[in-house]
Amino acid sequence: MMDNKPFEVPVVVELGHVGKYRHIRSAQEAAECLMTVWPLNRGPRHRDALDTCLKVLEGYRSTADARRALIEAAKESEVLVPDDRLPDDRLH
């Protein structure tokens, strides 16, 4: 079974509906999310994040690289949930 390359800290995005948070915990989950449920307002950072996540899964990049790229893509698509918007019980 392939290692899904977990992140040290999940990246939280808001997809679909306001308040519907998704905690992305690994490079594999990030790649799946970027390919399937990401908003249509995609730009170059989306493509970079997907490429980076796939390279992590192949063993060529670090999970830290994938997490950083995912955060940039989430900012670009305006779906990143900053830590200060999360209730304390939803951080992990």
Side-chain angles (χ1 to χ4, degrees), residues 13-53:
V13 293
E14 190 171 28
L15 298 172
H17 304 288
V18 173
K20 183 178 180 184
Y21 298 156
R22 179 163 180 171
H23 293 70
I24 301 175
R25 295 179 165 84
S26 69
Q28 180 177 334
E29 190 177 343
E32 289 169 2
C33 186
L34 287 160
M35 286 189 280
T36 61
V37 296
W38 206 255
L40 293 177
N41 58 331
R42 300 173 178 181
R45 287 185 176 87
H46 171 269
R47 186 177 57 250
D48 292 345
L50 180 55
D51 183 57
T52 301
C53 289

Side-chain angles (χ1 to χ4, degrees), residues 25-91:
R25 295 179 165 84
S26 69
Q28 180 177 334
E29 190 177 343
E32 289 169 2
C33 186
L34 287 160
M35 286 189 280
T36 61
V37 296
W38 206 255
L40 293 177
N41 58 331
R42 300 173 178 181
R45 287 185 176 87
H46 171 269
R47 186 177 57 250
D48 292 345
L50 180 55
D51 183 57
T52 301
C53 289
L54 294 175
K55 286 181 178 168
V56 168
L57 294 172
E58 294 169 355
Y60 297 110
R61 302 281 299 269
S62 73
T63 55
D65 289 342
R67 187 175 184 280
R68 275 192 300 272
L70 178 63
I71 288 170
E72 290 304 311
K75 287 178 183 176
E76 175 183 66
S77 293
E78 299 179 352
V79 296
L80 183 67
V81 178
D83 290 343
D84 62 2
R85 273 191 42 209
L86 290 174
D88 290 337
D89 63 334
R90 295 178 92 165
L91 282 173

